[in-house]
Amino acid sequence: RRPFVDPLNLPGENKSLMGFNLIHCFNDAEELGRLLDALVSFGLPAPRVGHVFAFDQAVEALRLFRSGQTTGKVVLKLEQTASG
């Protein structure tokens, strides 16, 4: 189960919780490419993938994710069509 995080306690524990909304970059592919290149240059390890589901198992994936019983990312895998 994922631990409960109280954001008010984070500064006292010298921790932070961050998220990024890059939706504004989707209309500027060049800028998004620069941002992604900069992110890759940090050499961070890839996120741990805990579970992979086929797209038609999205309901099960969401149930698992919401259960709090996961570690790592929950991934929905899309099938590629002949056109890409």
Coordinates of all heavy atoms in Angstrom, one line a residue:
R1 N 0.8 -1.2 0.0 CA 0.0 0.0 0.0 C 0.9 1.2 0.0 O 1.9 1.3 0.7 CB -0.9 0.0 1.2 CG -1.9 1.1 1.2 CD -3.1 0.7 2.2 NE -4.0 1.8 2.2 CZ -5.0 1.9 1.4 NH1 -5.2 1.1 0.4 NH2 -5.8 3.0 1.4
R2 N 0.5 2.2 -0.8 CA 1.3 3.5 -0.8 C 1.1 4.2 0.5 O 0.0 4.2 1.1 CB 0.8 4.4 -2.0 CG 1.2 3.9 -3.3 CD 0.8 4.9 -4.4 NE -0.6 5.2 -4.5 CZ -1.5 4.6 -5.3 NH1 -1.0 3.7 -6.1 NH2 -2.7 5.0 -5.3
P3 N 2.2 4.8 1.0 CA 2.1 5.5 2.2 C 1.3 6.8 2.1 O 1.2 7.4 1.0 CB 3.5 5.9 2.6 CG 4.2 5.8 1.3 CD 3.5 4.8 0.4
F4 N 0.6 7.2 3.2 CA -0.1 8.5 3.2 C 0.9 9.6 3.3 O 1.8 9.5 4.1 CB -1.1 8.5 4.4 CG -1.7 9.9 4.5 CD1 -2.7 10.3 3.7 CD2 -1.3 10.8 5.5 CE1 -3.3 11.5 3.9 CE2 -1.8 12.0 5.7 CZ -2.9 12.4 4.8
V5 N 0.8 10.6 2.5 CA 1.7 11.8 2.5 C 1.0 13.0 2.9 O 0.0 13.4 2.2 CB 2.4 12.0 1.2 CG1 3.3 13.2 1.2 CG2 3.2 10.7 0.8
D6 N 1.3 13.6 4.0 CA 0.7 14.9 4.4 C 1.7 16.0 4.0 O 2.8 16.1 4.5 CB 0.6 14.9 5.9 CG -0.1 16.2 6.4 OD1 -0.3 17.1 5.6 OD2 -0.5 16.2 7.6
P7 N 1.2 16.8 2.9 CA 2.1 17.8 2.4 C 2.6 18.8 3.4 O 3.6 19.4 3.3 CB 1.3 18.5 1.3 CG 0.0 17.8 1.3 CD 0.0 16.7 2.3
L8 N 1.8 19.0 4.5 CA 2.2 20.0 5.5 C 3.4 19.5 6.3 O 4.1 20.3 6.9 CB 1.0 20.3 6.4 CG -0.2 20.9 5.8 CD1 -1.3 21.1 6.8 CD2 0.2 22.3 5.1
N9 N 3.7 18.2 6.3 CA 4.8 17.7 7.1 C 6.1 17.6 6.2 O 7.2 17.5 6.8 CB 4.5 16.3 7.6 CG 3.5 16.3 8.7 OD1 3.3 17.3 9.4 ND2 2.8 15.1 8.8
L10 N 6.0 17.8 4.9 CA 7.1 17.6 4.1 C 8.3 18.6 4.3 O 9.4 18.2 4.4 CB 6.7 17.7 2.6 CG 5.8 16.6 2.1 CD1 5.4 16.8 0.7 CD2 6.4 15.2 2.3
P11 N 8.0 19.9 4.5 CA 9.2 20.8 4.8 C 9.9 20.4 6.0 O 11.2 20.5 6.0 CB 8.5 22.2 4.9 CG 7.2 22.1 4.1 CD 6.8 20.6 4.4
G12 N 9.3 20.0 7.1 CA 9.9 19.6 8.3 C 10.8 18.4 8.1 O 11.7 18.1 8.9
E13 N 10.4 17.5 7.1 CA 11.2 16.3 6.9 C 12.2 16.5 5.7 O 12.8 15.6 5.3 CB 10.2 15.2 6.5 CG 9.2 14.8 7.6 CD 8.1 13.9 7.2 OE1 8.2 13.4 6.0 OE2 7.2 13.6 8.0
N14 N 12.3 17.8 5.3 CA 13.2 18.1 4.2 C 12.9 17.3 2.9 O 13.8 16.7 2.3 CB 14.7 17.9 4.6 CG 15.6 18.6 3.6 OD1 15.2 19.6 3.0 ND2 16.8 18.1 3.5
K15 N 11.6 17.2 2.6 CA 11.1 16.4 1.5 C 10.2 17.4 0.6 O 9.7 18.4 1.1 CB 10.3 15.2 1.9 CG 11.1 14.2 2.6 CD 10.3 13.0 3.0 CE 11.1 11.9 3.7 NZ 10.2 10.8 4.2
S16 N 10.0 17.0 -0.6 CA 9.1 17.7 -1.4 C 8.3 16.8 -2.3 O 8.7 15.6 -2.5 CB 9.8 18.7 -2.3 OG 10.6 18.1 -3.2
L17 N 7.2 17.3 -2.9 CA 6.4 16.6 -3.8 C 6.2 17.5 -5.0 O 5.8 18.6 -4.8 CB 5.0 16.2 -3.2 CG 4.0 15.5 -4.0 CD1 4.5 14.1 -4.4 CD2 2.7 15.4 -3.3
M18 N 6.6 17.0 -6.2 CA 6.5 17.9 -7.4 C 5.8 17.2 -8.5 O 5.8 16.0 -8.6 CB 8.0 18.3 -7.8 CG 8.7 19.0 -6.7 SD 10.4 19.5 -7.1 CE 11.0 18.6 -8.4
G19 N 5.2 18.0 -9.3 CA 4.6 17.5 -10.5 C 4.7 18.6 -11.6 O 4.9 19.8 -11.3
F20 N 4.6 18.2 -12.8 CA 4.9 19.1 -13.9 C 3.7 19.0 -15.0 O 3.4 17.9 -15.4 CB 6.2 18.9 -14.6 CG 7.4 19.0 -13.7 CD1 7.9 17.9 -13.0 CD2 7.9 20.3 -13.4 CE1 8.9 18.0 -12.1 CE2 9.0 20.4 -12.5 CZ 9.5 19.2 -11.9
N21 N 3.2 20.1 -15.4 CA 2.2 20.1 -16.4 C 2.8 20.7 -17.7 O 3.1 21.9 -17.7 CB 0.9 20.9 -16.0 CG -0.2 20.9 -17.0 OD1 0.0 20.4 -18.1 ND2 -1.3 21.3 -16.6
L22 N 3.0 19.8 -18.6 CA 3.7 20.2 -19.9 C 2.7 20.3 -21.0 O 3.1 20.4 -22.2 CB 4.8 19.3 -20.2 CG 5.9 19.2 -19.2 CD1 7.0 18.2 -19.6 CD2 6.6 20.5 -18.9
I23 N 1.4 20.4 -20.7 CA 0.4 20.4 -21.8 C 0.6 21.6 -22.8 O 0.4 21.5 -23.9 CB -1.0 20.4 -21.2 CG1 -2.1 20.1 -22.3 CG2 -1.4 21.7 -20.6 CD1 -2.1 18.7 -22.7
H24 N 1.1 22.7 -22.2 CA 1.3 23.9 -23.1 C 2.4 23.7 -24.1 O 2.5 24.4 -25.1 CB 1.6 25.1 -22.2 CG 2.9 25.0 -21.5 ND1 3.0 24.3 -20.3 CD2 4.2 25.4 -21.7 CE1 4.3 24.3 -19.8 NE2 5.0 25.0 -20.7
C25 N 3.2 22.6 -23.9 CA 4.3 22.4 -24.8 C 3.9 21.5 -26.0 O 4.6 21.4 -27.0 CB 5.5 21.6 -24.1 SG 6.3 22.6 -22.9
F26 N 2.7 20.9 -26.0 CA 2.3 20.0 -27.1 C 2.1 20.8 -28.4 O 2.2 20.2 -29.4 CB 1.1 19.3 -26.7 CG 1.3 18.2 -25.7 CD1 0.4 17.9 -24.7 CD2 2.5 17.5 -25.6 CE1 0.6 16.9 -23.8 CE2 2.7 16.5 -24.7 CZ 1.8 16.2 -23.7
N27 N 1.9 22.1 -28.3 CA 1.8 22.8 -29.6 C 3.1 23.4 -30.0 O 3.2 24.1 -31.1 CB 0.8 24.0 -29.4 CG -0.6 23.5 -29.2 OD1 -1.0 22.5 -29.8 ND2 -1.4 24.2 -28.4
D28 N 4.2 23.1 -29.3 CA 5.5 23.6 -29.7 C 6.5 22.4 -29.6 O 7.2 22.2 -28.6 CB 5.9 24.7 -28.7 CG 7.2 25.4 -29.1 OD1 7.9 24.9 -30.0 OD2 7.5 26.4 -28.5
A29 N 6.5 21.6 -30.6 CA 7.3 20.4 -30.6 C 8.8 20.7 -30.4 O 9.5 19.9 -29.8 CB 7.1 19.6 -31.9
E30 N 9.3 21.8 -31.0 CA 10.7 22.1 -30.8 C 11.0 22.3 -29.4 O 12.0 21.8 -28.9 CB 11.0 23.4 -31.6 CG 12.1 23.2 -32.6 CD 12.3 24.5 -33.4 OE1 13.0 25.4 -32.9 OE2 11.8 24.5 -34.6
E31 N 10.2 23.1 -28.7 CA 10.5 23.4 -27.3 C 10.3 22.1 -26.4 O 11.2 21.8 -25.5 CB 9.5 24.4 -26.7 CG 9.7 24.7 -25.2 CD 11.0 25.4 -24.9 OE1 11.8 25.8 -25.7 OE2 11.3 25.5 -23.6
L32 N 9.4 21.3 -26.7 CA 9.2 20.0 -26.0 C 10.4 19.2 -26.2 O 10.9 18.5 -25.3 CB 7.9 19.3 -26.5 CG 7.6 18.0 -25.7 CD1 7.4 18.3 -24.2 CD2 6.3 17.4 -26.3
G33 N 10.9 19.1 -27.4 CA 12.1 18.3 -27.7 C 13.3 18.8 -26.9 O 14.1 18.0 -26.4
R34 N 13.5 20.1 -26.8 CA 14.6 20.7 -26.0 C 14.4 20.3 -24.5 O 15.4 20.0 -23.8 CB 14.7 22.2 -26.1 CG 15.3 22.7 -27.4 CD 15.6 24.2 -27.4 NE 14.4 25.0 -27.4 CZ 13.7 25.4 -28.4 NH1 14.1 25.1 -29.6 NH2 12.6 26.1 -28.3
L35 N 13.2 20.4 -24.0 CA 13.0 20.1 -22.6 C 13.2 18.6 -22.4 O 13.9 18.2 -21.4 CB 11.5 20.4 -22.2 CG 11.2 21.9 -22.1 CD1 9.7 22.1 -22.0 CD2 11.9 22.5 -21.0
L36 N 12.8 17.7 -23.3 CA 13.0 16.3 -23.1 C 14.5 16.0 -23.2 O 15.0 15.1 -22.4 CB 12.2 15.5 -24.1 CG 10.7 15.5 -23.9 CD1 10.0 14.8 -25.0 CD2 10.4 14.9 -22.6
D37 N 15.3 16.6 -24.1 CA 16.7 16.4 -24.2 C 17.4 16.8 -22.9 O 18.3 16.1 -22.4 CB 17.3 17.2 -25.4 CG 16.9 16.6 -26.7 OD1 16.5 15.4 -26.8 OD2 17.0 17.4 -27.7
A38 N 17.0 18.0 -22.3 CA 17.6 18.4 -21.1 C 17.3 17.4 -20.0 O 18.2 17.1 -19.2 CB 17.0 19.8 -20.7
L39 N 16.1 16.9 -19.9 CA 15.7 15.9 -18.9 C 16.6 14.6 -19.1 O 17.1 14.1 -18.1 CB 14.2 15.5 -19.0 CG 13.7 14.5 -18.0 CD1 13.8 15.1 -16.6 CD2 12.2 14.2 -18.3
V40 N 16.8 14.1 -20.3 CA 17.6 13.0 -20.6 C 19.0 13.2 -20.1 O 19.7 12.3 -19.6 CB 17.5 12.5 -22.0 CG1 18.5 11.5 -22.4 CG2 16.1 12.0 -22.3
S41 N 19.5 14.4 -20.3 CA 20.9 14.7 -20.0 C 21.2 14.6 -18.5 O 22.4 14.5 -18.1 CB 21.3 16.2 -20.5 OG 20.7 17.1 -19.6
F42 N 20.2 14.6 -17.7 CA 20.4 14.4 -16.2 C 20.9 12.9 -15.9 O 21.4 12.7 -14.9 CB 19.2 14.7 -15.4 CG 18.8 16.1 -15.3 CD1 17.6 16.6 -15.7 CD2 19.8 17.1 -14.9 CE1 17.3 17.9 -15.6 CE2 19.5 18.4 -14.8 CZ 18.2 18.8 -15.2
G43 N 20.6 12.0 -16.8 CA 21.1 10.6 -16.6 C 20.3 9.9 -15.5 O 20.9 9.0 -14.9
L44 N 19.1 10.3 -15.3 CA 18.3 9.7 -14.2 C 17.9 8.2 -14.6 O 17.8 7.9 -15.8 CB 17.0 10.5 -14.0 CG 17.2 11.9 -13.6 CD1 15.9 12.7 -13.6 CD2 17.9 12.0 -12.2
P45 N 17.8 7.4 -13.6 CA 17.4 6.0 -13.9 C 15.9 6.0 -14.4 O 15.1 6.9 -14.0 CB 17.5 5.2 -12.6 CG 17.5 6.3 -11.6 CD 18.0 7.6 -12.2
A46 N 15.6 5.0 -15.3 CA 14.2 4.9 -15.7 C 13.3 4.6 -14.6 O 13.7 3.9 -13.6 CB 14.2 3.8 -16.8
P47 N 12.1 5.0 -14.6 CA 11.1 4.7 -13.5 C 10.9 3.2 -13.5 O 11.0 2.5 -14.6 CB 9.9 5.4 -13.9 CG 10.1 6.1 -15.2 CD 11.5 5.9 -15.6
R48 N 10.6 2.6 -12.4 CA 10.4 1.2 -12.2 C 9.0 0.9 -12.7 O 8.0 1.6 -12.3 CB 10.5 0.8 -10.8 CG 10.2 -0.7 -10.5 CD 10.3 -1.0 -9.0 NE 10.0 -2.4 -8.8 CZ 8.8 -3.0 -8.8 NH1 7.8 -2.2 -9.1 NH2 8.7 -4.3 -8.6
V49 N 8.8 0.0 -13.6 CA 7.5 -0.5 -14.0 C 7.1 -1.6 -13.2 O 7.7 -2.7 -13.2 CB 7.5 -0.8 -15.5 CG1 6.2 -1.4 -16.0 CG2 7.9 0.4 -16.4
G50 N 5.9 -1.5 -12.5 CA 5.4 -2.5 -11.6 C 4.5 -3.5 -12.3 O 4.5 -4.7 -12.1
H51 N 3.6 -2.9 -13.2 CA 2.6 -3.7 -13.9 C 2.4 -3.2 -15.3 O 2.4 -2.0 -15.5 CB 1.3 -3.7 -13.1 CG 1.4 -4.2 -11.7 ND1 1.3 -5.5 -11.4 CD2 1.6 -3.5 -10.5 CE1 1.4 -5.6 -10.0 NE2 1.6 -4.4 -9.5
V52 N 2.2 -4.1 -16.2 CA 1.8 -3.7 -17.6 C 0.5 -4.4 -18.0 O 0.4 -5.6 -17.8 CB 3.0 -4.2 -18.6 CG1 2.6 -3.8 -20.0 CG2 4.3 -3.5 -18.2
F53 N -0.4 -3.6 -18.5 CA -1.7 -4.1 -18.9 C -1.9 -3.8 -20.4 O -1.5 -2.7 -20.9 CB -2.8 -3.4 -18.1 CG -2.9 -3.8 -16.7 CD1 -2.1 -3.2 -15.7 CD2 -3.7 -4.9 -16.3 CE1 -2.2 -3.5 -14.4 CE2 -3.8 -5.2 -14.9 CZ -3.0 -4.5 -14.0
A54 N -2.6 -4.7 -21.1 CA -3.1 -4.3 -22.4 C -4.1 -3.3 -22.3 O -4.8 -3.1 -21.3 CB -3.7 -5.6 -23.1
F55 N -4.3 -2.5 -23.4 CA -5.3 -1.4 -23.3 C -6.7 -1.8 -23.0 O -7.4 -1.2 -22.2 CB -5.3 -0.6 -24.6 CG -6.1 0.7 -24.5 CD1 -5.6 1.8 -23.8 CD2 -7.3 0.7 -25.1 CE1 -6.4 2.9 -23.8 CE2 -8.1 1.9 -25.0 CZ -7.6 3.0 -24.4
D56 N -7.0 -3.0 -23.4 CA -8.4 -3.5 -23.2 C -8.5 -4.0 -21.7 O -9.6 -4.3 -21.3 CB -8.8 -4.6 -24.1 CG -7.9 -5.8 -24.1 OD1 -6.9 -5.9 -23.3 OD2 -8.3 -6.8 -24.8
Q57 N -7.5 -3.9 -20.9 CA -7.5 -4.2 -19.5 C -7.4 -2.9 -18.6 O -7.1 -2.9 -17.5 CB -6.4 -5.1 -19.1 CG -6.5 -6.5 -19.7 CD -5.2 -7.3 -19.4 OE1 -4.1 -6.9 -19.6 NE2 -5.5 -8.4 -18.8
A58 N -7.8 -1.8 -19.2 CA -7.7 -0.5 -18.6 C -8.4 -0.4 -17.3 O -8.0 0.2 -16.3 CB -8.1 0.7 -19.5
V59 N -9.6 -1.0 -17.2 CA -10.4 -1.0 -16.0 C -9.7 -1.7 -14.9 O -9.6 -1.2 -13.7 CB -11.8 -1.6 -16.2 CG1 -12.6 -1.8 -14.9 CG2 -12.6 -0.8 -17.2
E60 N -9.1 -2.9 -15.2 CA -8.4 -3.6 -14.2 C -7.1 -2.9 -13.7 O -6.8 -2.8 -12.5 CB -7.9 -5.0 -14.7 CG -9.1 -6.0 -14.9 CD -9.7 -5.8 -16.3 OE1 -9.4 -4.9 -17.1 OE2 -10.6 -6.7 -16.6
A61 N -6.5 -2.2 -14.7 CA -5.3 -1.4 -14.3 C -5.7 -0.3 -13.4 O -5.0 0.0 -12.4 CB -4.7 -0.9 -15.6
L62 N -6.8 0.4 -13.7 CA -7.2 1.5 -12.8 C -7.6 1.0 -11.4 O -7.3 1.6 -10.4 CB -8.4 2.2 -13.5 CG -8.9 3.5 -12.8 CD1 -7.8 4.5 -12.6 CD2 -10.0 4.1 -13.5
R63 N -8.3 -0.1 -11.4 CA -8.6 -0.7 -10.1 C -7.4 -1.0 -9.2 O -7.3 -0.7 -8.1 CB -9.4 -2.0 -10.3 CG -10.9 -1.7 -10.6 CD -11.7 -3.0 -10.5 NE -13.0 -2.8 -11.0 CZ -13.6 -3.4 -12.0 NH1 -12.9 -4.4 -12.7 NH2 -14.8 -3.1 -12.4
L64 N -6.4 -1.6 -9.9 CA -5.1 -1.9 -9.2 C -4.5 -0.6 -8.7 O -4.0 -0.5 -7.6 CB -4.2 -2.7 -10.1 CG -2.8 -3.0 -9.5 CD1 -2.9 -3.9 -8.2 CD2 -1.9 -3.6 -10.5
F65 N -4.4 0.4 -9.6 CA -3.7 1.7 -9.3 C -4.4 2.3 -8.1 O -3.8 2.8 -7.1 CB -3.8 2.6 -10.5 CG -3.2 3.9 -10.2 CD1 -1.8 4.1 -10.1 CD2 -4.0 5.0 -10.1 CE1 -1.2 5.3 -9.9 CE2 -3.4 6.3 -9.9 CZ -2.0 6.4 -9.8
R66 N -5.8 2.3 -8.1 CA -6.5 3.0 -7.1 C -6.5 2.2 -5.7 O -6.7 2.8 -4.7 CB -8.0 3.2 -7.5 CG -8.1 4.2 -8.6 CD -9.5 4.4 -9.1 NE -10.2 5.2 -8.0 CZ -11.5 5.3 -7.9 NH1 -12.3 4.8 -8.8 NH2 -12.0 6.0 -6.9
S67 N -6.1 0.9 -5.8 CA -6.1 0.1 -4.6 C -4.9 0.5 -3.7 O -5.0 0.2 -2.5 CB -5.9 -1.4 -4.9 OG -4.6 -1.6 -5.3
G68 N -3.9 1.2 -4.2 CA -2.8 1.6 -3.4 C -1.8 0.4 -3.2 O -0.9 0.5 -2.4
Q69 N -2.1 -0.7 -3.8 CA -1.2 -1.9 -3.6 C -0.1 -2.1 -4.7 O 0.5 -3.1 -4.8 CB -2.1 -3.2 -3.7 CG -3.3 -3.2 -2.7 CD -2.7 -3.2 -1.3 OE1 -1.9 -4.0 -0.9 NE2 -3.3 -2.3 -0.4
T70 N 0.2 -1.0 -5.4 CA 1.2 -1.1 -6.4 C 2.5 -0.4 -6.0 O 2.6 0.4 -5.1 CB 0.7 -0.3 -7.7 OG1 0.6 1.1 -7.3 CG2 -0.6 -0.9 -8.2
T71 N 3.6 -0.9 -6.6 CA 4.9 -0.3 -6.5 C 5.3 -0.1 -7.9 O 5.2 -1.0 -8.7 CB 5.9 -1.0 -5.7 OG1 6.0 -2.3 -6.2 CG2 5.5 -1.1 -4.2
G72 N 5.9 1.0 -8.3 CA 6.3 1.2 -9.6 C 5.1 1.7 -10.5 O 4.0 1.9 -10.0
K73 N 5.4 1.9 -11.7 CA 4.4 2.5 -12.6 C 3.4 1.4 -13.1 O 3.7 0.3 -13.2 CB 5.0 3.1 -13.9 CG 6.1 4.2 -13.6 CD 5.4 5.4 -13.0 CE 6.4 6.5 -12.7 NZ 5.8 7.6 -12.0
V74 N 2.2 1.8 -13.3 CA 1.2 1.0 -13.9 C 1.0 1.5 -15.4 O 0.7 2.6 -15.6 CB -0.2 1.1 -13.2 CG1 -1.3 0.3 -13.9 CG2 0.0 0.6 -11.7
V75 N 1.4 0.6 -16.3 CA 1.5 1.0 -17.7 C 0.4 0.3 -18.5 O 0.1 -0.9 -18.4 CB 2.8 0.6 -18.3 CG1 2.9 0.9 -19.8 CG2 3.9 1.2 -17.5
L76 N -0.3 1.1 -19.4 CA -1.2 0.6 -20.4 C -0.5 0.5 -21.7 O 0.1 1.5 -22.2 CB -2.4 1.5 -20.6 CG -3.4 1.6 -19.5 CD1 -4.6 2.5 -19.8 CD2 -4.0 0.2 -19.2
K77 N -0.4 -0.7 -22.3 CA 0.3 -0.9 -23.5 C -0.7 -0.8 -24.7 O -1.7 -1.5 -24.7 CB 1.0 -2.3 -23.5 CG 1.9 -2.5 -24.6 CD 2.8 -3.6 -24.4 CE 3.8 -3.7 -25.5 NZ 5.2 -3.9 -25.0
L78 N -0.4 0.0 -25.7 CA -1.2 0.2 -26.9 C -0.7 -0.7 -28.0 O 0.6 -0.8 -28.1 CB -1.2 1.6 -27.3 CG -1.6 2.7 -26.3 CD1 -1.5 4.0 -26.9 CD2 -3.1 2.4 -25.9
E79 N -1.6 -1.4 -28.7 CA -1.2 -2.2 -29.8 C -0.9 -1.2 -31.0 O -1.6 -0.3 -31.2 CB -2.2 -3.1 -30.3 CG -2.4 -4.3 -29.3 CD -3.4 -5.3 -29.8 OE1 -3.5 -5.5 -31.0 OE2 -4.1 -5.9 -29.0
Q80 N 0.2 -1.5 -31.8 CA 0.5 -0.7 -32.9 C -0.3 -1.3 -34.1 O -0.4 -2.5 -34.3 CB 2.0 -0.8 -33.3 CG 2.8 0.1 -32.3 CD 4.2 0.3 -32.8 OE1 4.7 -0.4 -33.6 NE2 4.7 1.4 -32.4
T81 N -0.8 -0.4 -34.9 CA -1.5 -0.8 -36.2 C -0.5 -0.7 -37.3 O 0.6 -0.2 -37.2 CB -2.7 0.2 -36.4 OG1 -2.2 1.5 -36.7 CG2 -3.7 0.2 -35.3
A82 N -0.9 -1.3 -38.4 CA -0.1 -1.3 -39.6 C 0.3 0.1 -40.0 O 1.4 0.4 -40.6 CB -0.8 -2.0 -40.8
S83 N -0.5 1.1 -39.7 CA -0.2 2.5 -40.1 C 0.7 3.2 -39.1 O 1.0 4.4 -39.3 CB -1.5 3.3 -40.4 OG -2.2 3.4 -39.2
G84 N 1.0 2.6 -38.0 CA 1.9 3.2 -37.1 C 1.4 3.2 -35.7 O 1.9 3.5 -34.7

